[in-house]
Amino acid sequence: MATLKEKLKEKIEAHRPRTTRLLKEFGDVKVGEVNISQTINGMRGVKGLATDISYLDPMEGIRFRGKTIPEVMAAIPKPEGKDYPYVEAFWFYLLTGDVPTKEETLEIVADFKKRSGVPQYVYDLLRTMPRDTHPMTMFSAAVLSMQRESKFAKFYAEGFNKMTAWEPMYEDATDIIAKLPTIAAYIYRMKYKGDTPIAADPNLDLGGNFAHMMGLPEPYDDVARMYFIIHSDHESGNVSAHTTHLVASALSDAYYSLSAGLNGLAGPLHGLANQEVLKWIQNVMKQMGGKLPSEEEMKKFVWDTLNSGQVIPGYGHAVLRRTDPRYMSQREFCQKHLPDDPIFKFVSRLYDVVPDILREHGKAKNPWPNVDAQSGVIQWHYGLREYDFYTVLFGVGRAMGVLANITWDRALGYAIERPKSLTTDMLEEIAGIK
Ligand code: HAX
């Protein structure tokens, strides 16, 4: 049976001629046009990145390697008696586009275990940081500190070969993903649980082991599997994916690149929105003395937030123009497992009122909720109430998508990223006003 690495090699060799042909024979064919607003306002909609790991349709939402979230959840092998797939099997699927067999899955589970040991200096580093440091800073610093382990950096130093550069990148990517749950759980137990880390259980898969190291009982293992999978990738243009890709394009290794991507994920307009949602809801709950606001009361809170110049966290999106399917899959989970949870009721009431208000407000192009509007509810319900930790969970999942991408970037020899900028004078000339 071919290992994941052998299978990936086959896929890469079959794919390379497609990229080479596009560049050689069709390199000058126009893909789109850029306007002044796109140049100034964050390149929205500019078609300037290529990836096969996932695709985000504005109306349909995300597909991972061609499959919707429900299709992925149905197709990928699951641990016995569990509702959600092995995260390890999903890594195989993201890298290759093939659904692994149970046997292939168990091989990846075993491989991850071998790679999961975290160097002592990472713990030492984390312990030197003040305890009120944001957990995303700790998480990103821990990833960066392991850069000395990079097989890609060693490969480059010993003589770089463009055709085989994906191999050390794949090794680094897999090493990192296997270690992240342990690092995240250590940060959590050190920072919030009186410095009581829990050792890994070698009998468990990644999701089960994460729940165990966090000290959270079942079904948190399934919550972790679901959470890591749905947060893994959202095509290449979002801040965390794009940053990771950009840094890796300079042939920086996976440790440098992922750490940079995590720093982008820590922004409140991106991954930090999940903590902002819970913070906002807690504030409303406090003002209501714990009572669920009526629709009218909720509308007032939403308008007050908008009128004070803040965004409604968890709503809107740069690409999506409908409710995020990642929101829906978490909502369905809540409807099944925690329909009476008070925070779920809050979030549902928000869903009833926010889209109409954002339409009336007239600014947001997408009035619908994104993934972050719902994710904190499930975490809170199952005992993870330190909401400034939520973005770390997002980061563990997101690492799979961005690291699969940079493995393929090296396989296809993508060039260093270097778009061209213009001066305001030049734009005014183009606009015909100068
Ligand atoms: N509440 C209030 N105003 C909003 C809004 C919201 N939820 N979403 C967008 N707007 C405003 C924008 O601030 C912008 O206002 P200005 O013209 O005054 O600058 C205007 O509507 C147009 O913005 P847009 O084109 O619709 O949205 P962008 O592509 O510029 O930004 C964001 C997309 C996700 C950043 C934005 O919708 C937002 O700030 N949402 C709230 C934060 C959030 O939920 N972020 C997480 C997004 C999902 C994600 O990446 N998770 O990691």
Side-chain angles (χ1 to χ4, degrees):
M1 189 184 64
T3 64
L4 170 54
K5 193 167 172 186
E6 284 160 0
K7 186 146 212 169
L8 186 55
K9 190 170 184 196
E10 268 171 40
K11 296 268 168 188
I12 287 169
E13 279 166 8
H15 192 112
R16 272 180 176 152
R18 294 170 63 197
T19 303
T20 308
R21 178 161 187 232
L22 283 171
L23 284 173
K24 267 205 178 131
E25 295 178 33
F26 305 98
D28 292 333
V29 174
K30 294 269 174 296
V31 179
E33 279 178 28
V34 176
N35 58 36
I36 288 178
S37 140
Q38 290 169 314
T39 305
I40 297 174
N41 265 344
M43 298 193 278
R44 213 58 94 255
V46 173
K47 296 181 177 76
L49 294 161
T51 178
D52 298 293
I53 308 290
S54 68
Y55 180 75
L56 179 59
D57 181 88
M59 299 313 291
E60 189 195 47
I62 193 71
R63 276 181 185 260
F64 301 117
R65 290 277 184 187
K67 288 195 197 303
T68 62
I69 291 174
E71 287 167 358
V72 163
M73 297 306 187
I76 311 274
K78 302 176 178 66
E80 204 71 23
K82 299 295 174 185
D83 289 338
Y84 289 94
Y86 280 103
V87 176
E88 295 90 333
F90 182 70
W91 170 237
F92 185 115
Y93 175 69
L94 270 191
L95 275 176
T96 63
D98 291 346
V99 172
T101 61
K102 189 74 186 255
E103 207 185 344
E104 286 169 325
T105 299
L106 294 180
E107 216 171 75
I108 308 298
V109 171
D111 186 41
F112 270 37
K113 282 191 208 307
K114 274 192 242 139
R115 297 173 187 258
S116 65
V118 175
Q120 180 59 40
Y121 62 79
V122 176
Y123 299 122
D124 295 343
L125 168 80
L126 292 170
R127 305 192 72 77
T128 63
M129 299 177 94
R131 291 291 151 88
D132 63 356
T133 304
H134 195 281
M136 276 302 279
T137 313
M138 292 183 168
F139 194 49
S140 172
V143 170
L144 186 59
S145 75
M146 294 190 292
Q147 189 276 332
R148 67 185 288 284
E149 312 295 331
S150 173
K151 293 165 181 156
F152 183 88
K154 223 167 277 159
F155 172 83
Y156 187 83
E158 286 166 6
F160 182 74
N161 175 336
K162 207 171 170 182
M163 294 308 279
T164 53
W166 68 268
E167 295 193 36
M169 189 59 100
Y170 160 83
E171 296 295 342
D172 281 353
T174 315
D175 283 346
I176 293 174
I177 294 165
K179 293 176 200 313
L180 289 183
T182 308
I183 294 171
Y186 186 87
I187 292 171
Y188 179 72
R189 302 286 313 180
M190 177 184 78
K191 188 171 156 68
Y192 306 102
K193 297 289 166 190
D195 201 2
T196 54
I198 299 172
D201 180 341
N203 299 312
L204 298 171
D205 68 301
L206 186 148
N209 203 17
F210 182 67
H212 162 75
M213 291 184 290
M214 292 288 286
L216 295 167
E218 287 179 352
Y220 191 80
D221 55 336
D222 254 346
V223 169
R225 292 182 193 99
M226 173 192 67
Y227 199 92
F228 295 153
I229 290 172
I230 66 173
H231 285 82
S232 62
D233 207 37
H234 223 217
E235 65 171 43
S236 297
N238 66 78
V239 170
S240 51
H242 191 187
T243 309
T244 309
H245 164 80
L246 171 66
V247 175
S249 83
L251 298 188
S252 298
D253 59 57
Y255 295 87
Y256 280 128
S257 306
L258 176 64
S259 174
L262 290 171
N263 298 343
L265 191 68
L269 295 188
H270 190 20
L272 206 77
N274 57 12
Q275 96 168 40
E276 296 300 299
V277 170
L278 252 277
K279 201 189 239 169
W280 190 85
I281 290 175
Q282 293 292 326
N283 181 33
V284 176
M285 279 178 110
K286 205 158 122 203
Q287 289 185 48
M288 289 298 298
K291 181 176 90 57
L292 181 68
S294 65
E295 271 201 26
E296 283 316 305
E297 287 165 330
M298 190 61 105
K299 281 180 186 167
K300 185 179 171 329
F301 284 118
V302 173
W303 274 114
D304 286 350
T305 301
L306 289 171
N307 292 335
S308 70
Q310 296 168 62
V311 295
I312 305 301
Y315 280 77
H317 201 273
V319 178
L320 277 168
R321 292 296 174 260
R322 56 154 272 190
T323 298
D324 191 334
R326 300 172 300 172
Y327 175 95
M328 287 316 290
S329 61
Q330 294 184 96
R331 183 174 163 82
E332 280 155 21
F333 181 98
C334 292
Q335 282 166 331
K336 183 169 167 201
H337 296 285
L338 42 119
D340 299 323
D341 181 278
I343 300 187
F344 178 53
K345 289 189 171 160
F346 255 75
V347 166
S348 297
R349 181 126 308 164
L350 275 172
Y351 192 33
D352 294 336
V353 305
V354 173
D356 281 347
I357 294 178
L358 283 179
R359 267 193 289 256
E360 193 182 329
H361 186 239
K363 276 188 166 185
K365 292 190 189 68
N366 176 34
W368 300 106
N370 60 60
V371 65
D372 295 318
Q374 186 71 244
S375 55
V377 181
I378 302 178
Q379 298 298 335
W380 185 275
H381 183 88
Y382 289 106
L384 209 173
R385 299 197 162 178
E386 297 81 3
Y387 49 72
D388 57 352
F389 189 76
Y390 292 172
T391 313
V392 174
L393 300 172
F394 195 154
V396 175
R398 180 51 52 96
M400 286 194 284
V402 302
L403 293 175
N405 266 293
I406 62 173
T407 302
W408 273 94
D409 289 355
R410 290 291 62 78
L412 301 179
Y414 285 177
I416 185 166
E417 196 171 300
R418 189 16 175 129
K420 182 80 189 78
S421 48
L422 299 174
T423 66
T424 305
D425 275 348
M426 289 170 182
L427 291 176
E428 284 168 347
E429 259 172 48
I430 291 166
I433 55 171
K434 199 173 175 103

